Each structure stands twice: as structure tokens, then as C-alpha cells.
Amino acid sequence: MAHHFKIKKNKAGEFVAYFMYNAEPIFWTEGYSSKANAKNAIESIKKNGPDAETVDES
């Protein structure tokens, strides 16, 4: 299971969705008040991410 999403609670008790590669977090969302909202964020990333363009601001 190299790439996967993980939902965890942060110290504030909010649900955070993490995109993981092996055991390392690659990126994560803001904290959500419900697990359903964190799951919605994951679904949005899956749906909209493949077509997202890369913007280089360097």
C-alpha cells in the first residue's frame, strides 16, 4: 500500500485527511469538524486532482 489516504484527529479534535506515500505524509487538508467532511475532501482531491495544472511561482 504505497499511496493511500488516511484520516486522523489532530490535537484540536478535528479530522484531517492525509495523502501518504509509504509511511510519510505528502500533504494534508485543513481540520474538519466531522469525518464526513474529511471524506468529502478526499473525494474532491480524487475527482479534481488528475486534471489540476501545476503553477510554478519560483
Side-chain angles (χ1 to χ4, degrees):
M1 180 166 51
H3 294 87
H4 63 277
F5 286 96
K6 179 184 289 188
I7 297 174
K8 294 171 50 175
K9 275 192 168 183
N10 63 17
K11 291 180 182 178
E14 299 169 317
F15 295 93
V16 179
Y18 293 84
F19 180 69
M20 308 291 290
Y21 179 71
N22 294 325
E24 299 295 322
I26 303 300
F27 65 84
W28 51 91
T29 66
E30 62 184 300
Y32 294 100
S33 60
S34 72
K35 189 183 287 187
N37 287 343
K39 287 181 178 183
N40 287 341
I42 291 170
E43 291 307 314
S44 177
I45 293 166
K46 288 179 177 181
K47 178 183 173 187
N48 299 304
D51 295 328
E53 65 181 87
T54 300
V55 177
D56 184 352
E57 294 186 348
S58 56

